[in-house]
Amino acid sequence: MSKPMSFEEPIIKLKEKIDELRELAKNADVDMSDEIKTLEERLRQLEIKIYSNMEPWNRVQVARNPERPTTLDYIKEIFTDFIELHGDRYYADDEAIVGGIAFFDGQPITVIGHQRGKATKENIRRNFGMPHPEGYRKALRLMKQAEKFRRPIICFIDTKGAYPGKAAEERGQSEAIAKNLFEMAGLKVPVISVVIGEGGSGGALALGVTNRIYMLENSTYSVISPEGAASILWKDASLAKQAAEAMKITAQDLKEMGIIDDIIPEVPGGAHRDPVSQAKILKEYLKKGLDQLTALSEEQIIQDRYDKFRKMGDFIEEIVQ
Amino acid sequence: MAIKSLLNLNRKKTKGVIVNSKNESSFPADLMTKCPSCRKIFLTKEIETNLKVCPNCDHHFKMTAWERIDSFLDVESFTPFDEHLRTTNPLNFPSYIEKVEADMKKTGLSEAVLTGSGTLKGEEVVVAVMDSHFRMGSMGSVVGEKITRAIEKATEMQVPFIIFTASGGARMQEGVISLMQMAKTSVALKRHSDEGLLFLSIMTDPTTGGVSASFASLGDLNIAEPKALIGFAGRRVIEQTVREKLPDDFQTAEFLLAHGQLDAIFHRKEMRDKVATIVKLHRKGGVTHV
């Protein structure tokens, strides 16, 4: 059982009550099954109420839950024969991004994603899923390799952002991200991205110039973190909850704005409650997306991607006299 | 008459002449300007006539978009594009439109970038000039759209595309839509590049965040003005993250050049000549193979 998040408290309290009652019934040898049944029904209603009507800030908490499934968790469930490939061939292997080749229902594919750790030690090794330039360059190398062998590409997005550090700047963080946007525009194979946790700014977009963009129900995608927005807007990072609402960062918001193609539903309470079932749901969407895209020619795939990003923007054309 | 032009009383009303940003303090109001680098005080006029470069220490003051056009392209060759695009408020941010309108009035621009076509020593080019006096040069939908249309026009006209960047990054008030402008401009640049056409990115002070991490870094040649601040993450953010003092020249053009991130740094006085030469060197008609 994973640690409860603050908005889940009413559910936890009710669960505890039911457990207490069960214990009591067992020890006192009285029949309380009716009472327990009533409470269980109430619990079910409460779960539906809380989980189907989550505020943006609650979704941020779910998206950041340390036990939320990561790229490697989904790879394990969705693909077979995964072989991880390392390194950018220039400088290092950045473990904040993983990638490799595998089968997807018998079809060879390339899969790449941000990778954070769940425990502290792994998180340090993976730099909390915040890549350096070599991570993006590795990703691009694997994408070009996929293109050569005509493999579709799946990207899992899950990062707070590209790492803001001295070494990252020295080695060209900006250039690495920019180059990915540019080169992904020209890939002749189908590319699908799925935001599985946090989609933090340019560091997320560098794996996101894709034919289809999906978001898990409780994931976020934003130009700046709620804390960052709050500290710039109101000089107070503690107003992150308000910023999460104002910035429109949930899957529902992005679908409404026409930026993403689909919201992938999550198991009740969030993906971490049942990663295996979650992976099954995710797989169905990938299958559907790949089926649509593999029907297109190389030119159509590039055109499809161009059209998708070309229309993004919100402005008025004033009538010229 | 001479005194009047010296005092330049109407300066603020003329199109796009702004010498003093907030941190480049001046006194007495507008007549004199203090160089933020060497702290010497000059007649504002003296700096203006020197391409806004400090006569003492070579500090490059921020230019407005129109000043850049005037100093860079052939006289009266410039035709602006897409001046009719207007910013909206997709996230309903309080007073966002009012701020944009105030900057329209202040700068005489429709948004933080001016785009158009013109000639550079006779060579036809499409240019985009960002202006940091307009919402810190930040990129929202209109900036992204104007730049994308300019790139598409350059592709259609089969001419080089030249951009002078000056931007704090993506415009927060338009949220994730601003982020997507990075992708939109980049896919357009890919098409321009696939046609074998030249893209020059000339980074001026400051070029950071989402602009630095998209078109600004995608030039066939990436060029910068001396001492320009160029980087992905903000200095304070990095200092908080790594808890170490960063070198004084961190994220300057010179720092980037030393780390292999730039092709060259051009002084503003040689910018026009050198870029014109580069454009001539990229005229179509290189080696043809039978």
Side-chain angles (χ1 to χ4, degrees), chain B:
Chain B
M1 190 60 210
I3 292 168
K4 197 178 173 190
S5 76
L6 187 73
L7 289 170
N8 211 354
L9 291 170
N10 291 321
R11 196 169 56 75
K12 280 221 157 136
K13 282 179 196 156
T14 55
K15 226 191 233 174
V17 181
I18 302 162
V19 166
N20 310 303
S21 330
K22 268 184 207 155
N23 55 355
E24 291 169 357
S25 65
S26 75
F27 57 90
D30 296 349
L31 180 60
M32 310 292 282
T33 298
K34 184 172 168 183
C35 172
S37 181
C38 70
R39 313 247 157 237
K40 281 209 168 187
I41 295 162
F42 299 91
L43 285 174
T44 300
K45 196 84 196 159
E46 203 180 342
I47 289 170
E48 278 174 16
T49 53
N50 197 38
L51 290 172
K52 289 177 91 170
V53 173
C54 172
N56 180 53
C57 75
D58 258 355
H59 171 75
H60 285 48
F61 286 80
K62 292 176 175 69
M63 276 183 140
T64 68
W66 281 105
E67 285 168 345
R68 182 70 67 175
I69 293 288
D70 289 344
S71 72
F72 182 69
L73 291 177
D74 298 343
V75 178
E76 297 200 348
S77 71
F78 181 70
T79 313
F81 296 156
D82 304 311
E83 291 292 86
H84 63 296
L85 300 187
R86 291 289 175 273
T87 297
T88 60
N89 193 356
L91 306 190
N92 292 316
F93 255 91
S95 69
Y96 173 46
I97 293 296
E98 287 76 4
K99 282 176 182 164
V100 168
E101 280 170 356
D103 280 1
M104 286 170 78
K105 223 177 247 168
K106 182 180 89 178
T107 61
L109 297 170
S110 66
E111 249 292 351
V113 69
L114 178 62
T115 58
S117 63
T119 57
L120 176 62
K121 298 201 177 179
E123 302 279 340
E124 229 179 325
V125 292
V126 169
V127 293
V129 185
M130 303 185 84
D131 193 326
S132 62
H133 303 93
F134 195 113
R135 301 274 87 214
M136 303 260 287
S138 60
M139 173 162 64
S141 290
V142 171
V143 170
E145 183 68 19
K146 285 183 83 175
I147 291 172
T148 304
R149 288 189 189 189
I151 298 164
E152 287 177 330
K153 191 75 185 164
T155 311
E156 185 194 315
M157 291 166 68
Q158 295 281 302
V159 298
F161 176 63
I162 301 171
I163 191 162
F164 287 88
T165 62
S167 175
R171 189 172 295 172
M172 217 178 41
Q173 289 89 344
E174 293 183 32
V176 75
I177 301 173
S178 305
L179 182 69
M180 294 301 155
Q181 304 310 306
M182 294 167 62
K184 182 164 84 179
T185 50
S186 299
V187 299
L189 280 174
K190 176 74 174 135
R191 288 215 159 163
H192 183 260
S193 179
D194 286 347
E195 295 282 324
L197 298 166
L198 172 69
F199 168 41
L200 288 179
S201 170
I202 301 165
M203 293 176 244
T204 74
D205 188 56
T207 297
T208 58
V211 165
S212 154
S214 57
F215 51 82
S217 296
L218 291 172
D220 292 295
L221 279 71
N222 292 331
I223 292 158
E225 284 197 328
K227 306 267 168 67
L229 170 73
I230 304 162
F232 177 67
R235 188 189 180 99
R236 259 183 312 154
V237 176
I238 298 172
E239 272 175 343
Q240 280 164 14
T241 316
V242 300
R243 291 172 200 282
E244 67 175 292
K245 182 113 177 61
L246 297 163
D248 284 343
D249 71 338
F250 187 65
Q251 293 184 326
T252 59
E254 291 71 15
F255 176 90
L256 267 82
L257 187 77
H259 285 89
Q261 304 298 332
L262 288 176
D263 287 283
I265 296 172
F266 292 161
H267 191 284
R268 195 174 283 165
K269 283 184 178 166
E270 56 178 21
M271 187 63 78
R272 178 176 149 85
D273 286 348
K274 290 230 166 152
V275 174
T277 304
I278 290 169
V279 169
K280 283 195 167 68
L281 281 163
H282 287 80
R283 264 192 200 137
K284 280 213 160 177
V287 180
T288 47
H289 301 279
V290 186

Side-chain angles (χ1 to χ4, degrees), chain A residues 18 116 150 177 205-206 212 234:
Chain A
I18 294 171
R116 55 182 177 79
R150 295 169 186 251
I177 294 170
L205 186 65
R212 295 286 182 274
W234 305 302

Side-chain angles (χ1 to χ4, degrees), chain A residues 32-55:
Chain A
M32 298 186 92
S33 55
D34 279 354
E35 285 85 348
I36 291 171
K37 210 175 265 174
T38 316
L39 283 180
E40 276 176 340
E41 174 56 25
R42 206 198 288 171
L43 176 68
R44 211 177 56 83
Q45 295 295 340
L46 192 65
E47 279 185 329
I48 291 171
K49 191 176 149 232
I50 288 179
Y51 290 138
S52 65
N53 207 357
M54 278 165 57
E55 286 172 22

